[in-house]
Amino acid sequence: MSANVLTWSRDARGLMAILLSISLSSGQVLAQDANKVANFVRAALTARSKEITAATVEMPADKFGFRPSTQDMTFGQLTLHVAVGNYLYCSKIGGVAEPTLPEISDTEPKEKLIERLKASFAFCTAALAKLDDSNKSEVLTLGDTRTSRAMAILTLTGTWSDHFAIQTAYLQANGLTPPASKN
Amino acid sequence: MRRAVAALFALLGMVCWSAAAHDLPMNSIMNGFVKVQPHQIDLVVRVPLDLLRGVPFPVKDSRYDVAASGPAAELALLLLEDGFVVFEDGVRLTAASSKGRLSPPSDRSFESYEAAAAHADQAPDATAPISYDKGSFDVHFIYPIASPQSVFGIQTQVAADLGSGAMLIVRYIPLEDQSRALIIHSGDAPGALNPTWYHAAGDFILLGIDHILTGIDHLLFLFCLVIPVRRLGRLVAVITAFTLAHSITLFASAFHLAPQGAWFAPFVEMAIAATIVYTAIENVVGANLRRRWLVAGTFGLVHGFGFSNALGQSLQFAGSHLLLSLFSFNIGIEIGQLGVLAIMMPALMVFRRLVPERTGIIVLSTVAALVGFYWFVERWQVLKQVEWPRLNGDTAFTAARWAAVVLLAIVAAWILSKWTAHRVERRGRALDGARQADRAP
């Protein structure tokens, strides 16, 4: 997933870390000794998929074309970008084939984009279900990048956090309360 | 709790919105040391926490909860074991020991290997405040080795998705030799820390071949040079002049004789585009083929600087074989060049049979000139954004030195040109004399 997805601040990510620590229950996850890396990505997936999906549902359909500036992605593009990244990374990390899906545009109706997003997270859940730490050093090819499975996991979990923070900023910019605040 | 979360989200939203138009601020440079010991290699690296944002280090009041960071630190270590790869004679080493800790940005331990290793081994100071994203995670891996005389290599895969944006600046400290610094980009192939002479030679020959084969601008210039050339003797003269000239500037650059500064590389790139345009236009208006070697030689100096830009950071992997590596890179370029000519020349011969020679030269050269001109404009746009050096004692000296070199090159070329012309004239006269003698009854 490219770094130029959107521009945003380190302070925002600082606050994201607080949210992350609240929602991930990291202490419990990391306390398990066997398959620590695999368990970590599964726990992150559970937490992030709920938050990202809820934030996407929260955004009104007529705001999916919103973007803070012309250099940024629209909310619809961001939603599709998360889904595309999920399919790519989870297929490679889980060692399963990436499904061939019909191309959809970021201007499709909200429901269709949410459907694609949810399907991508469901795909990740299935792809990572049997993951263990035995082959975390194996080198994977992700587009132009060759990196270990462990580093791919680090990238995937990092970008989930980034994307959720960006979604939150978009919601705030439209006067909306992020879903996590309503619980 | 709900209020706290709501307040955090509200603050998060405001911060994100206010900063949404700014560039992603990311510290993606890792610093470290690789020290060879009699029975082990120690790798100590400072990883900015920006690169570990997927790891859930606990945060309290916008600061890392260092006292509670143990489980996350363990996870970070597990992940980073696969972020850095150390090789001994091409075989990946496995860390026998790994330690890591959070560090505040104020920590200065990484100014020396000893301090860095000692610091990474210590438990973190739970009372030292570390604001989110401001600190680093320092790691110390120990890899058992078979022999300190082996050939070692290193690779980083941390944040490889950022491409060349993420890098490891590492100081290699061998058992018996001088230490040196290397810059290793994330995701790049493993770089040799102490290559043997034959490894260095082989690697740099391949690098040279790769550079010329992927250097489309160099190839287009070469193409422009040979479009009108039919005679083998002239072709040899042109290629020899080009080779000698680019070798001179390539070696000069490697020994830091080339101008320094951010402006130089884009200037050279633009000049390379200009050499294509000039040579192509000369072909169109009717090139003096007797002097084509002079054009090849003069512009070859520019292309040599271009080759040196490409060689740049790769030379750090030459180990103690700098000169050999330079020669090898040059040999690689020549091999690649000859390979391309082996395809180019027969193709041109076929083309000449299909299209009248003069028409063919004009068509091919016009296309090359247009491409070259496009690159020229494109590169000029890049050059415009670079700050030019201010004229001071140093820049004046460098400019004067290069002006003298260029002047000397012109004088040498002029003398060579006169000498060649004189030889040709003498040979012509001798031939005329022989013909007259043959005709005499």
Side-chain angles (χ1 to χ4, degrees), chain A residues 7 14 36 136-137 162 183, chain B residues 2 20 22 53 74 82 132:
Chain A
T7 55
K36 199 172 278 184
K136 73 182 179 71
S137 305
D162 289 351
N183 298 327
Chain B
R2 278 175 60 190
H22 299 150
R53 61 192 190 279
E74 271 184 51
D82 294 308
Y132 181 76

Side-chain angles (χ1 to χ4, degrees), chain A:
Chain A
M1 289 184 230
S2 67
N4 59 358
V5 172
L6 195 72
T7 55
W8 69 301
S9 77
R10 69 170 58 220
D11 296 330
R13 282 181 284 136
L15 290 165
M16 269 314 305
I18 299 169
L19 300 173
L20 187 71
S21 62
I22 292 168
S23 60
L24 196 57
S25 304
S26 56
Q28 290 169 13
V29 173
L30 301 177
Q32 298 169 34
D33 284 328
N35 299 321
K36 199 172 278 184
V37 172
N39 288 333
F40 156 66
V41 69
R42 279 191 286 265
L45 170 64
T46 305
R48 293 277 88 79
S49 62
K50 282 179 190 162
E51 288 164 351
I52 291 174
T53 307
T56 312
V57 171
E58 187 68 17
M59 184 65 100
D62 63 338
K63 297 287 185 187
F64 268 56
F66 168 79
R67 54 177 153 189
S69 79
T70 51
Q71 292 179 337
D72 295 326
M73 282 186 175
T74 64
F75 194 84
Q77 286 170 335
L78 179 63
T79 305
L80 204 54
H81 173 75
V82 175
V84 169
N86 282 347
Y87 278 113
L88 173 67
Y89 271 74
C90 292
S91 67
K92 298 291 181 183
I93 293 168
V96 297
E98 191 177 345
T100 310
L101 298 168
E103 291 252 336
I104 64 167
S105 159
D106 55 85
T107 54
E108 294 279 355
K110 173 182 174 179
E111 291 71 27
K112 202 161 184 178
L113 293 176
I114 290 176
E115 187 187 324
R116 178 58 63 91
L117 181 71
K118 283 181 175 174
S120 74
F121 278 121
F123 172 76
C124 281
T125 305
L128 305 180
K130 290 179 182 170
L131 186 71
D132 60 38
D133 285 9
S134 61
N135 52 6
K136 73 182 179 71
S137 305
E138 188 188 344
V139 176
L140 311 174
T141 302
L142 292 124
D144 296 334
T145 307
R146 280 177 60 74
T147 191
S148 64
R149 180 171 273 110
M151 286 296 102
I153 287 172
L154 185 61
T155 300
L156 179 64
T157 52
T159 49
W160 279 335
S161 300
D162 289 351
H163 291 143
F164 179 50
I166 295 165
Q167 283 187 313
T168 305
Y170 277 41
L171 288 170
Q172 288 279 1
N174 284 284
L176 296 164
T177 308
S181 305
K182 296 177 182 172
N183 298 327

Side-chain angles (χ1 to χ4, degrees), chain B residues 33-100:
Chain B
F33 300 89
V34 180
K35 185 172 171 65
V36 180
Q37 315 256 28
H39 304 292
Q40 67 187 48
I41 271 194
D42 289 59
L43 173 67
V44 191
V45 184
R46 169 158 282 178
V47 183
L49 285 165
D50 262 333
L51 298 180
L52 295 176
R53 61 192 190 279
V55 179
F57 284 106
V59 178
K60 201 160 75 179
D61 300 330
S62 297
R63 287 178 178 170
Y64 289 106
D65 186 352
V66 178
S69 66
E74 271 184 51
L75 174 67
L77 267 176
L78 266 176
L79 292 164
L80 288 173
E81 274 179 9
D82 294 308
F84 303 108
V85 189
V86 178
F87 298 91
E88 180 180 15
D89 291 332
V91 177
R92 181 179 172 163
L93 296 174
T94 305
S97 156
S98 54
K99 289 178 180 168

Side-chain angles (χ1 to χ4, degrees), chain B residues 117-367:
Chain B
H119 173 79
D121 288 350
Q122 284 171 5
D125 179 3
T127 60
I130 308 173
S131 297
Y132 181 76
D133 250 6
K134 303 288 185 197
S136 61
F137 187 68
D138 300 338
V139 294
H140 181 188
F141 295 115
I142 296 175
Y143 306 90
I145 56 172
S147 164
Q149 310 306 326
S150 304
V151 173
F152 299 107
I154 190 167
Q155 182 187 33
T156 170
Q157 297 171 352
V158 178
D161 57 305
L162 296 180
S164 57
M167 66 180 81
L168 169 65
I169 301 174
V170 68
R171 180 155 286 279
Y172 169 63
I173 309 168
L175 198 57
E176 301 163 348
D177 204 352
Q178 284 193 323
S179 70
R180 59 176 180 278
L182 299 104
I183 298 172
I184 299 160
H185 292 279
S186 286
D188 278 1
L193 294 166
N194 58 336
T196 56
W197 68 266
Y198 49 89
H199 275 125
D203 287 352
F204 279 87
I205 285 175
L206 290 176
L207 189 67
I209 293 173
D210 179 70
H211 182 65
I212 193 76
L213 294 184
T214 54
I216 186 78
D217 48 359
H218 301 301
L219 292 179
L220 189 59
F221 175 70
L222 197 64
F223 183 60
C224 288
L225 279 177
V226 301
I227 287 172
V229 176
R230 297 192 69 164
R231 286 168 52 184
L232 185 65
R234 285 214 173 110
L235 180 69
V236 170
V238 164
I239 299 306
T240 307
F242 181 61
T243 302
L244 284 175
H246 73 62
S247 302
I248 290 168
T249 41
L250 175 64
F251 276 73
S253 297
F255 288 97
H256 309 293
L257 295 173
Q260 303 294 313
W263 64 276
F264 189 60
F267 174 77
V268 168
E269 293 301 310
M270 192 193 71
I272 286 172
T275 64
I276 295 166
V277 175
Y278 176 90
T279 314
I281 290 174
E282 200 183 63
N283 288 345
V284 173
V285 297
N288 180 352
L289 294 183
R290 281 187 184 171
R291 289 190 181 172
R292 179 48 48 124
W293 65 270
L294 202 56
V295 172
T298 310
F299 290 161
L301 294 171
V302 179
H303 285 254
F305 283 128
F307 293 144
S308 76
N309 290 340
L311 190 59
Q313 287 188 350
S314 300
L315 266 185
Q316 65 184 335
F317 298 115
S320 52
H321 315 290
L322 177 68
L323 207 57
L324 174 75
S325 300
L326 274 172
F327 272 115
S328 304
F329 181 74
N330 222 11
I331 288 169
I333 285 177
E334 304 326 320
I335 292 171
Q337 205 168 267
L338 290 174
V340 169
L341 283 170
I343 299 167
M344 217 180 254
M345 294 313 289
L348 278 172
M349 280 171 64
V350 172
F351 188 73
R352 282 187 198 113
R353 290 191 178 184
L354 300 173
V355 180
E357 185 168 1
R358 188 72 196 127
T359 309
I361 290 172
I362 291 171
V363 169
L364 292 175
S365 300
T366 304
V367 172

